[in-house]
Amino acid sequence: MAALAPRSALITGANRGLGLELVRQMAEGRSAGTRHLLACCRHPDGPRSEALQELAKRHPEVITVLQLDTTDLSSIQKCSQQAGSLLGAGGLNLLINNAGIIAHGTMQTTSPEEMLATFNTNVMGPMNVTKEFLAHLRAAAAASGTAGMSCSKAAVINISSVLGSVDITAQSYSAYPALAYRISKAALNMMTACAAQEFKQSDILFAVLHPGWVKTDMGGEGAEIEASESVGGMLRVMDSLTEKQNGAFLNYKGMPLSW
Ligand SMILES: NC(=O)c1ccc[n+]([C@@H]2O[C@H](COP(=O)([O-])OP(=O)(O)OC[C@H]3O[C@@H](n4cnc5c(N)ncnc54)[C@H](OP(=O)(O)O)[C@@H]3O)[C@@H](O)[C@H]2O)c1
């Protein structure tokens, strides 16, 4: 079980797949210090959020389900206000930008609409969520009273993919084109590297994690690992991060990946 112990964490896309498993393992393996797990999803009352609502009912003292569509700025701003009321002066220790979509086409088959939708969700989503939650992250960094960086102090973890690695494209493109997805994750990686520099004076750690090829709706049944293994690994990695890994691109086992 994960040892990660932030006082507060927010996970986007928390109603299924890796997001739901993140909430589950963080709730079930939490330390006494964990007070708020803000589990965010587009449609909290919709049929695809039933498993999350069940989980929240089992842990009402720590899980709060909030509406958040990462492509809708007003939804992000409303969620940030609600989170601020719940979190108070302690702020938000850990923001996990997990929500994402995939499109499978090549350069020749990807439509402008698919390209824009993928970029909007996978790049503008994490960027706008991070910007709207910055005040809460800064509050957590200030409230911590400790030196250095960690995911228990103030951190933004962007869930990216090895498919965003430019270096491995020659070996992997023909087997798995997904052009729009690759471009969006490469952009997310660059955004994270930039943010790591921009916010290091504020003691807010930024890193990108590749969860592995995981059996979710996105990864498919033929994927290599279960969500439980991926998330267990990612939580261990998050727990290990310090200022030395600020801006790093790591997989769920903690191995550095090539940009
Ligand atoms: N599975 C893999 O093998 C794999 C590999 C590498 C990276 N990843 C990355 O890991 C993350 C999670 O993937 P997954 O496998 O869990 O995918 P998934 O099973 O398809 O789940 C995607 C989640 O993102 C949410 N989402 C999509 N668009 C959203 C939006 N605009 N606002 C809020 N939530 C939104 C979905 O909510 P709805 O139910 O409302 O659609 C769902 O909760 C993604 O960033 C993905 O790129 C996955």
PDB file of all heavy atoms in Angstrom, residues 1-9 22 25-27 29-34 37 94 96 150-153 155 157 231-232 234-241:
ATOM      1  N   MET A   1       0.845  -1.197   0.000  1.00  0.00           N
ATOM      2  CA  MET A   1       0.000   0.000   0.000  1.00  0.00           C
ATOM      3  C   MET A   1       0.880   1.246   0.000  1.00  0.00           C
ATOM      4  O   MET A   1       1.940   1.261   0.597  1.00  0.00           O
ATOM      5  CB  MET A   1      -0.911  -0.025   1.222  1.00  0.00           C
ATOM      6  CG  MET A   1      -2.097   0.907   1.158  1.00  0.00           C
ATOM      7  SD  MET A   1      -3.206   0.679  -0.248  1.00  0.00           S
ATOM      8  CE  MET A   1      -3.990  -0.862   0.170  1.00  0.00           C
ATOM      9  N   ALA A   2       0.406   2.284  -0.674  1.00  0.00           N
ATOM     10  CA  ALA A   2       1.213   3.489  -0.832  1.00  0.00           C
ATOM     11  C   ALA A   2       1.451   4.194   0.496  1.00  0.00           C
ATOM     12  O   ALA A   2       0.592   4.214   1.367  1.00  0.00           O
ATOM     13  CB  ALA A   2       0.486   4.440  -1.766  1.00  0.00           C
ATOM     14  N   ALA A   3       2.665   4.783   0.629  1.00  0.00           N
ATOM     15  CA  ALA A   3       2.991   5.499   1.857  1.00  0.00           C
ATOM     16  C   ALA A   3       2.760   6.994   1.707  1.00  0.00           C
ATOM     17  O   ALA A   3       2.878   7.731   2.675  1.00  0.00           O
ATOM     18  CB  ALA A   3       4.449   5.242   2.223  1.00  0.00           C
ATOM     19  N   LEU A   4       2.451   7.410   0.469  1.00  0.00           N
ATOM     20  CA  LEU A   4       2.298   8.834   0.189  1.00  0.00           C
ATOM     21  C   LEU A   4       1.301   9.461   1.177  1.00  0.00           C
ATOM     22  O   LEU A   4       0.219   8.927   1.380  1.00  0.00           O
ATOM     23  CB  LEU A   4       1.778   8.994  -1.244  1.00  0.00           C
ATOM     24  CG  LEU A   4       1.687  10.394  -1.801  1.00  0.00           C
ATOM     25  CD1 LEU A   4       3.084  10.967  -2.026  1.00  0.00           C
ATOM     26  CD2 LEU A   4       0.915  10.368  -3.118  1.00  0.00           C
ATOM     27  N   ALA A   5       1.690  10.609   1.775  1.00  0.00           N
ATOM     28  CA  ALA A   5       0.840  11.152   2.837  1.00  0.00           C
ATOM     29  C   ALA A   5       0.612  12.659   2.709  1.00  0.00           C
ATOM     30  O   ALA A   5       0.914  13.415   3.634  1.00  0.00           O
ATOM     31  CB  ALA A   5       1.468  10.843   4.196  1.00  0.00           C
ATOM     32  N   PRO A   6       0.035  13.121   1.589  1.00  0.00           N
ATOM     33  CA  PRO A   6      -0.303  14.544   1.541  1.00  0.00           C
ATOM     34  C   PRO A   6      -1.523  14.798   2.417  1.00  0.00           C
ATOM     35  O   PRO A   6      -2.364  13.905   2.597  1.00  0.00           O
ATOM     36  CB  PRO A   6      -0.641  14.773   0.069  1.00  0.00           C
ATOM     37  CG  PRO A   6      -1.156  13.450  -0.396  1.00  0.00           C
ATOM     38  CD  PRO A   6      -0.417  12.408   0.399  1.00  0.00           C
ATOM     39  N   ARG A   7      -1.625  16.005   2.959  1.00  0.00           N
ATOM     40  CA  ARG A   7      -2.834  16.339   3.719  1.00  0.00           C
ATOM     41  C   ARG A   7      -4.022  16.422   2.757  1.00  0.00           C
ATOM     42  O   ARG A   7      -5.131  16.037   3.077  1.00  0.00           O
ATOM     43  CB  ARG A   7      -2.623  17.683   4.421  1.00  0.00           C
ATOM     44  CG  ARG A   7      -3.794  18.187   5.236  1.00  0.00           C
ATOM     45  CD  ARG A   7      -3.477  19.559   5.820  1.00  0.00           C
ATOM     46  NE  ARG A   7      -4.644  20.160   6.426  1.00  0.00           N
ATOM     47  CZ  ARG A   7      -5.570  20.835   5.765  1.00  0.00           C
ATOM     48  NH1 ARG A   7      -5.480  20.989   4.460  1.00  0.00           N
ATOM     49  NH2 ARG A   7      -6.605  21.354   6.406  1.00  0.00           N
ATOM     50  N   SER A   8      -3.742  16.894   1.531  1.00  0.00           N
ATOM     51  CA  SER A   8      -4.820  17.033   0.552  1.00  0.00           C
ATOM     52  C   SER A   8      -4.312  16.718  -0.846  1.00  0.00           C
ATOM     53  O   SER A   8      -3.160  17.004  -1.182  1.00  0.00           O
ATOM     54  CB  SER A   8      -5.360  18.462   0.585  1.00  0.00           C
ATOM     55  OG  SER A   8      -4.317  19.374   0.296  1.00  0.00           O
ATOM     56  N   ALA A   9      -5.196  16.117  -1.648  1.00  0.00           N
ATOM     57  CA  ALA A   9      -4.850  15.805  -3.033  1.00  0.00           C
ATOM     58  C   ALA A   9      -6.091  15.949  -3.896  1.00  0.00           C
ATOM     59  O   ALA A   9      -7.214  15.730  -3.424  1.00  0.00           O
ATOM     60  CB  ALA A   9      -4.308  14.386  -3.140  1.00  0.00           C
ATOM     61  N   LEU A  22      -6.411   5.583  -8.454  1.00  0.00           N
ATOM     62  CA  LEU A  22      -5.626   6.509  -7.619  1.00  0.00           C
ATOM     63  C   LEU A  22      -6.414   6.887  -6.368  1.00  0.00           C
ATOM     64  O   LEU A  22      -5.890   6.861  -5.245  1.00  0.00           O
ATOM     65  CB  LEU A  22      -5.272   7.771  -8.416  1.00  0.00           C
ATOM     66  CG  LEU A  22      -4.051   7.685  -9.332  1.00  0.00           C
ATOM     67  CD1 LEU A  22      -4.067   8.809 -10.374  1.00  0.00           C
ATOM     68  CD2 LEU A  22      -2.751   7.745  -8.526  1.00  0.00           C
ATOM     69  N   GLN A  25      -6.683   3.732  -3.970  1.00  0.00           N
ATOM     70  CA  GLN A  25      -5.470   3.394  -3.203  1.00  0.00           C
ATOM     71  C   GLN A  25      -5.092   4.512  -2.238  1.00  0.00           C
ATOM     72  O   GLN A  25      -4.603   4.242  -1.137  1.00  0.00           O
ATOM     73  CB  GLN A  25      -4.303   3.102  -4.153  1.00  0.00           C
ATOM     74  CG  GLN A  25      -4.476   1.779  -4.882  1.00  0.00           C
ATOM     75  CD  GLN A  25      -3.186   1.243  -5.493  1.00  0.00           C
ATOM     76  OE1 GLN A  25      -2.092   1.565  -5.057  1.00  0.00           O
ATOM     77  NE2 GLN A  25      -3.328   0.411  -6.510  1.00  0.00           N
ATOM     78  N   MET A  26      -5.329   5.762  -2.635  1.00  0.00           N
ATOM     79  CA  MET A  26      -4.996   6.856  -1.709  1.00  0.00           C
ATOM     80  C   MET A  26      -5.935   6.865  -0.515  1.00  0.00           C
ATOM     81  O   MET A  26      -5.526   7.191   0.601  1.00  0.00           O
ATOM     82  CB  MET A  26      -5.022   8.200  -2.439  1.00  0.00           C
ATOM     83  CG  MET A  26      -3.874   8.328  -3.437  1.00  0.00           C
ATOM     84  SD  MET A  26      -3.800   9.929  -4.233  1.00  0.00           S
ATOM     85  CE  MET A  26      -2.975  10.880  -2.984  1.00  0.00           C
ATOM     86  N   ALA A  27      -7.191   6.497  -0.724  1.00  0.00           N
ATOM     87  CA  ALA A  27      -8.143   6.461   0.406  1.00  0.00           C
ATOM     88  C   ALA A  27      -7.842   5.274   1.314  1.00  0.00           C
ATOM     89  O   ALA A  27      -7.826   5.408   2.546  1.00  0.00           O
ATOM     90  CB  ALA A  27      -9.572   6.370  -0.119  1.00  0.00           C
ATOM     91  N   GLY A  29      -5.039   3.466   1.576  1.00  0.00           N
ATOM     92  CA  GLY A  29      -3.698   3.390   2.156  1.00  0.00           C
ATOM     93  C   GLY A  29      -3.286   4.667   2.844  1.00  0.00           C
ATOM     94  O   GLY A  29      -2.114   4.861   3.139  1.00  0.00           O
ATOM     95  N   ARG A  30      -4.243   5.524   3.134  1.00  0.00           N
ATOM     96  CA  ARG A  30      -3.877   6.860   3.609  1.00  0.00           C
ATOM     97  C   ARG A  30      -3.327   6.831   5.031  1.00  0.00           C
ATOM     98  O   ARG A  30      -3.635   5.935   5.817  1.00  0.00           O
ATOM     99  CB  ARG A  30      -5.076   7.809   3.533  1.00  0.00           C
ATOM    100  CG  ARG A  30      -6.145   7.550   4.573  1.00  0.00           C
ATOM    101  CD  ARG A  30      -7.335   8.457   4.345  1.00  0.00           C
ATOM    102  NE  ARG A  30      -8.333   8.302   5.373  1.00  0.00           N
ATOM    103  CZ  ARG A  30      -9.256   7.364   5.393  1.00  0.00           C
ATOM    104  NH1 ARG A  30      -9.305   6.458   4.437  1.00  0.00           N
ATOM    105  NH2 ARG A  30     -10.142   7.320   6.370  1.00  0.00           N
ATOM    106  N   SER A  31      -2.518   7.867   5.320  1.00  0.00           N
ATOM    107  CA  SER A  31      -2.034   8.043   6.687  1.00  0.00           C
ATOM    108  C   SER A  31      -3.058   8.892   7.451  1.00  0.00           C
ATOM    109  O   SER A  31      -3.982   9.455   6.848  1.00  0.00           O
ATOM    110  CB  SER A  31      -0.696   8.763   6.677  1.00  0.00           C
ATOM    111  OG  SER A  31      -0.918  10.123   6.374  1.00  0.00           O
ATOM    112  N   ALA A  32      -2.843   8.979   8.758  1.00  0.00           N
ATOM    113  CA  ALA A  32      -3.773   9.749   9.594  1.00  0.00           C
ATOM    114  C   ALA A  32      -3.806  11.215   9.176  1.00  0.00           C
ATOM    115  O   ALA A  32      -4.795  11.902   9.402  1.00  0.00           O
ATOM    116  CB  ALA A  32      -3.362   9.623  11.053  1.00  0.00           C
ATOM    117  N   GLY A  33      -2.728  11.679   8.520  1.00  0.00           N
ATOM    118  CA  GLY A  33      -2.652  13.090   8.158  1.00  0.00           C
ATOM    119  C   GLY A  33      -3.466  13.466   6.932  1.00  0.00           C
ATOM    120  O   GLY A  33      -3.702  14.648   6.674  1.00  0.00           O
ATOM    121  N   THR A  34      -3.910  12.476   6.152  1.00  0.00           N
ATOM    122  CA  THR A  34      -4.648  12.801   4.921  1.00  0.00           C
ATOM    123  C   THR A  34      -6.081  13.201   5.261  1.00  0.00           C
ATOM    124  O   THR A  34      -6.839  12.414   5.823  1.00  0.00           O
ATOM    125  CB  THR A  34      -4.628  11.609   3.944  1.00  0.00           C
ATOM    126  OG1 THR A  34      -3.272  11.285   3.669  1.00  0.00           O
ATOM    127  CG2 THR A  34      -5.333  11.967   2.645  1.00  0.00           C
ATOM    128  N   LEU A  37      -9.351  14.092  -0.056  1.00  0.00           N
ATOM    129  CA  LEU A  37      -9.112  13.575  -1.399  1.00  0.00           C
ATOM    130  C   LEU A  37     -10.249  14.115  -2.263  1.00  0.00           C
ATOM    131  O   LEU A  37     -11.410  13.721  -2.095  1.00  0.00           O
ATOM    132  CB  LEU A  37      -9.123  12.050  -1.404  1.00  0.00           C
ATOM    133  CG  LEU A  37      -7.973  11.362  -0.672  1.00  0.00           C
ATOM    134  CD1 LEU A  37      -8.139   9.838  -0.710  1.00  0.00           C
ATOM    135  CD2 LEU A  37      -6.628  11.753  -1.272  1.00  0.00           C
ATOM    136  N   LEU A  94      -1.236  18.234  -3.360  1.00  0.00           N
ATOM    137  CA  LEU A  94      -0.922  17.412  -4.536  1.00  0.00           C
ATOM    138  C   LEU A  94      -2.043  17.486  -5.568  1.00  0.00           C
ATOM    139  O   LEU A  94      -3.187  17.138  -5.276  1.00  0.00           O
ATOM    140  CB  LEU A  94      -0.733  15.947  -4.090  1.00  0.00           C
ATOM    141  CG  LEU A  94      -0.478  14.907  -5.174  1.00  0.00           C
ATOM    142  CD1 LEU A  94       0.786  15.215  -5.972  1.00  0.00           C
ATOM    143  CD2 LEU A  94      -0.386  13.512  -4.552  1.00  0.00           C
ATOM    144  N   ILE A  96      -3.057  15.992  -9.208  1.00  0.00           N
ATOM    145  CA  ILE A  96      -2.725  14.967 -10.207  1.00  0.00           C
ATOM    146  C   ILE A  96      -3.603  15.203 -11.433  1.00  0.00           C
ATOM    147  O   ILE A  96      -4.817  14.967 -11.409  1.00  0.00           O
ATOM    148  CB  ILE A  96      -2.925  13.535  -9.664  1.00  0.00           C
ATOM    149  CG1 ILE A  96      -2.123  13.339  -8.371  1.00  0.00           C
ATOM    150  CG2 ILE A  96      -2.500  12.510 -10.718  1.00  0.00           C
ATOM    151  CD1 ILE A  96      -2.274  11.951  -7.725  1.00  0.00           C
ATOM    152  N   SER A 150       8.279  18.247  -2.172  1.00  0.00           N
ATOM    153  CA  SER A 150       7.748  16.878  -2.102  1.00  0.00           C
ATOM    154  C   SER A 150       6.280  16.886  -2.492  1.00  0.00           C
ATOM    155  O   SER A 150       5.641  17.943  -2.533  1.00  0.00           O
ATOM    156  CB  SER A 150       7.890  16.308  -0.688  1.00  0.00           C
ATOM    157  OG  SER A 150       6.898  16.867   0.155  1.00  0.00           O
ATOM    158  N   CYS A 151       5.752  15.695  -2.747  1.00  0.00           N
ATOM    159  CA  CYS A 151       4.334  15.564  -3.084  1.00  0.00           C
ATOM    160  C   CYS A 151       3.450  15.688  -1.841  1.00  0.00           C
ATOM    161  O   CYS A 151       2.233  15.774  -1.947  1.00  0.00           O
ATOM    162  CB  CYS A 151       4.070  14.227  -3.786  1.00  0.00           C
ATOM    163  SG  CYS A 151       4.671  14.196  -5.478  1.00  0.00           S
ATOM    164  N   SER A 152       4.053  15.679  -0.670  1.00  0.00           N
ATOM    165  CA  SER A 152       3.275  15.922   0.548  1.00  0.00           C
ATOM    166  C   SER A 152       3.277  17.406   0.904  1.00  0.00           C
ATOM    167  O   SER A 152       2.561  17.826   1.817  1.00  0.00           O
ATOM    168  CB  SER A 152       3.844  15.114   1.715  1.00  0.00           C
ATOM    169  OG  SER A 152       3.733  13.748   1.428  1.00  0.00           O
ATOM    170  N   LYS A 153       4.066  18.192   0.166  1.00  0.00           N
ATOM    171  CA  LYS A 153       4.144  19.637   0.429  1.00  0.00           C
ATOM    172  C   LYS A 153       3.349  20.398  -0.641  1.00  0.00           C
ATOM    173  O   LYS A 153       2.265  20.918  -0.361  1.00  0.00           O
ATOM    174  CB  LYS A 153       5.611  20.065   0.435  1.00  0.00           C
ATOM    175  CG  LYS A 153       5.830  21.550   0.699  1.00  0.00           C
ATOM    176  CD  LYS A 153       7.320  21.846   0.775  1.00  0.00           C
ATOM    177  CE  LYS A 153       7.594  23.319   0.911  1.00  0.00           C
ATOM    178  NZ  LYS A 153       9.043  23.610   1.037  1.00  0.00           N
ATOM    179  N   ALA A 155       2.827  19.901  -5.046  1.00  0.00           N
ATOM    180  CA  ALA A 155       3.314  19.269  -6.280  1.00  0.00           C
ATOM    181  C   ALA A 155       2.200  19.128  -7.302  1.00  0.00           C
ATOM    182  O   ALA A 155       1.020  18.996  -6.950  1.00  0.00           O
ATOM    183  CB  ALA A 155       3.884  17.880  -5.959  1.00  0.00           C
ATOM    184  N   ILE A 157       1.519  16.617 -10.524  1.00  0.00           N
ATOM    185  CA  ILE A 157       1.950  15.438 -11.269  1.00  0.00           C
ATOM    186  C   ILE A 157       1.070  15.330 -12.514  1.00  0.00           C
ATOM    187  O   ILE A 157      -0.160  15.213 -12.411  1.00  0.00           O
ATOM    188  CB  ILE A 157       1.799  14.156 -10.410  1.00  0.00           C
ATOM    189  CG1 ILE A 157       2.653  14.254  -9.146  1.00  0.00           C
ATOM    190  CG2 ILE A 157       2.164  12.919 -11.232  1.00  0.00           C
ATOM    191  CD1 ILE A 157       4.151  14.396  -9.372  1.00  0.00           C
ATOM    192  N   VAL A 231      -0.843   2.074 -10.501  1.00  0.00           N
ATOM    193  CA  VAL A 231      -1.096   3.119  -9.494  1.00  0.00           C
ATOM    194  C   VAL A 231      -0.240   2.902  -8.248  1.00  0.00           C
ATOM    195  O   VAL A 231       0.313   3.861  -7.683  1.00  0.00           O
ATOM    196  CB  VAL A 231      -2.600   3.191  -9.165  1.00  0.00           C
ATOM    197  CG1 VAL A 231      -2.852   3.987  -7.891  1.00  0.00           C
ATOM    198  CG2 VAL A 231      -3.351   3.810 -10.339  1.00  0.00           C
ATOM    199  N   GLY A 232      -0.089   1.635  -7.834  1.00  0.00           N
ATOM    200  CA  GLY A 232       0.789   1.363  -6.683  1.00  0.00           C
ATOM    201  C   GLY A 232       2.193   1.883  -6.958  1.00  0.00           C
ATOM    202  O   GLY A 232       2.824   2.515  -6.097  1.00  0.00           O
ATOM    203  N   MET A 234       3.049   4.247  -9.231  1.00  0.00           N
ATOM    204  CA  MET A 234       3.086   5.717  -9.340  1.00  0.00           C
ATOM    205  C   MET A 234       3.051   6.380  -7.963  1.00  0.00           C
ATOM    206  O   MET A 234       3.720   7.393  -7.735  1.00  0.00           O
ATOM    207  CB  MET A 234       1.943   6.218 -10.218  1.00  0.00           C
ATOM    208  CG  MET A 234       2.131   5.903 -11.694  1.00  0.00           C
ATOM    209  SD  MET A 234       1.069   6.886 -12.783  1.00  0.00           S
ATOM    210  CE  MET A 234      -0.533   6.180 -12.453  1.00  0.00           C
ATOM    211  N   LEU A 235       2.278   5.818  -7.038  1.00  0.00           N
ATOM    212  CA  LEU A 235       2.214   6.419  -5.697  1.00  0.00           C
ATOM    213  C   LEU A 235       3.549   6.278  -4.969  1.00  0.00           C
ATOM    214  O   LEU A 235       3.979   7.201  -4.265  1.00  0.00           O
ATOM    215  CB  LEU A 235       1.068   5.801  -4.881  1.00  0.00           C
ATOM    216  CG  LEU A 235      -0.338   6.183  -5.374  1.00  0.00           C
ATOM    217  CD1 LEU A 235      -1.404   5.419  -4.603  1.00  0.00           C
ATOM    218  CD2 LEU A 235      -0.587   7.686  -5.263  1.00  0.00           C
ATOM    219  N   ARG A 236       4.209   5.130  -5.179  1.00  0.00           N
ATOM    220  CA  ARG A 236       5.550   4.985  -4.576  1.00  0.00           C
ATOM    221  C   ARG A 236       6.515   6.004  -5.181  1.00  0.00           C
ATOM    222  O   ARG A 236       7.320   6.609  -4.465  1.00  0.00           O
ATOM    223  CB  ARG A 236       6.082   3.558  -4.781  1.00  0.00           C
ATOM    224  CG  ARG A 236       5.571   2.568  -3.743  1.00  0.00           C
ATOM    225  CD  ARG A 236       6.292   1.235  -3.837  1.00  0.00           C
ATOM    226  NE  ARG A 236       5.992   0.525  -5.072  1.00  0.00           N
ATOM    227  CZ  ARG A 236       4.901  -0.227  -5.278  1.00  0.00           C
ATOM    228  NH1 ARG A 236       4.022  -0.365  -4.310  1.00  0.00           N
ATOM    229  NH2 ARG A 236       4.712  -0.832  -6.425  1.00  0.00           N
ATOM    230  N   VAL A 237       6.423   6.197  -6.499  1.00  0.00           N
ATOM    231  CA  VAL A 237       7.302   7.180  -7.147  1.00  0.00           C
ATOM    232  C   VAL A 237       7.001   8.581  -6.602  1.00  0.00           C
ATOM    233  O   VAL A 237       7.909   9.331  -6.232  1.00  0.00           O
ATOM    234  CB  VAL A 237       7.134   7.146  -8.684  1.00  0.00           C
ATOM    235  CG1 VAL A 237       7.936   8.274  -9.333  1.00  0.00           C
ATOM    236  CG2 VAL A 237       7.579   5.800  -9.242  1.00  0.00           C
ATOM    237  N   MET A 238       5.715   8.931  -6.536  1.00  0.00           N
ATOM    238  CA  MET A 238       5.359  10.265  -6.018  1.00  0.00           C
ATOM    239  C   MET A 238       5.919  10.459  -4.609  1.00  0.00           C
ATOM    240  O   MET A 238       6.415  11.532  -4.265  1.00  0.00           O
ATOM    241  CB  MET A 238       3.836  10.454  -6.003  1.00  0.00           C
ATOM    242  CG  MET A 238       3.229  10.605  -7.381  1.00  0.00           C
ATOM    243  SD  MET A 238       1.444  10.900  -7.257  1.00  0.00           S
ATOM    244  CE  MET A 238       0.823   9.881  -8.578  1.00  0.00           C
ATOM    245  N   ASP A 239       5.817   9.399  -3.811  1.00  0.00           N
ATOM    246  CA  ASP A 239       6.302   9.495  -2.438  1.00  0.00           C
ATOM    247  C   ASP A 239       7.812   9.751  -2.388  1.00  0.00           C
ATOM    248  O   ASP A 239       8.302  10.339  -1.427  1.00  0.00           O
ATOM    249  CB  ASP A 239       5.964   8.191  -1.697  1.00  0.00           C
ATOM    250  CG  ASP A 239       6.225   8.301  -0.214  1.00  0.00           C
ATOM    251  OD1 ASP A 239       5.910   9.361   0.359  1.00  0.00           O
ATOM    252  OD2 ASP A 239       6.763   7.350   0.373  1.00  0.00           O
ATOM    253  N   SER A 240       8.515   9.321  -3.425  1.00  0.00           N
ATOM    254  CA  SER A 240       9.985   9.419  -3.408  1.00  0.00           C
ATOM    255  C   SER A 240      10.503  10.738  -3.979  1.00  0.00           C
ATOM    256  O   SER A 240      11.694  11.033  -3.884  1.00  0.00           O
ATOM    257  CB  SER A 240      10.584   8.260  -4.220  1.00  0.00           C
ATOM    258  OG  SER A 240      10.372   8.497  -5.608  1.00  0.00           O
ATOM    259  N   LEU A 241       9.626  11.534  -4.600  1.00  0.00           N
ATOM    260  CA  LEU A 241      10.108  12.720  -5.325  1.00  0.00           C
ATOM    261  C   LEU A 241      10.587  13.824  -4.380  1.00  0.00           C
ATOM    262  O   LEU A 241       9.946  14.107  -3.364  1.00  0.00           O
ATOM    263  CB  LEU A 241       9.002  13.274  -6.223  1.00  0.00           C
ATOM    264  CG  LEU A 241       8.492  12.353  -7.340  1.00  0.00           C
ATOM    265  CD1 LEU A 241       7.380  13.037  -8.130  1.00  0.00           C
ATOM    266  CD2 LEU A 241       9.616  11.923  -8.279  1.00  0.00           C
TER     267      LEU A 241
END
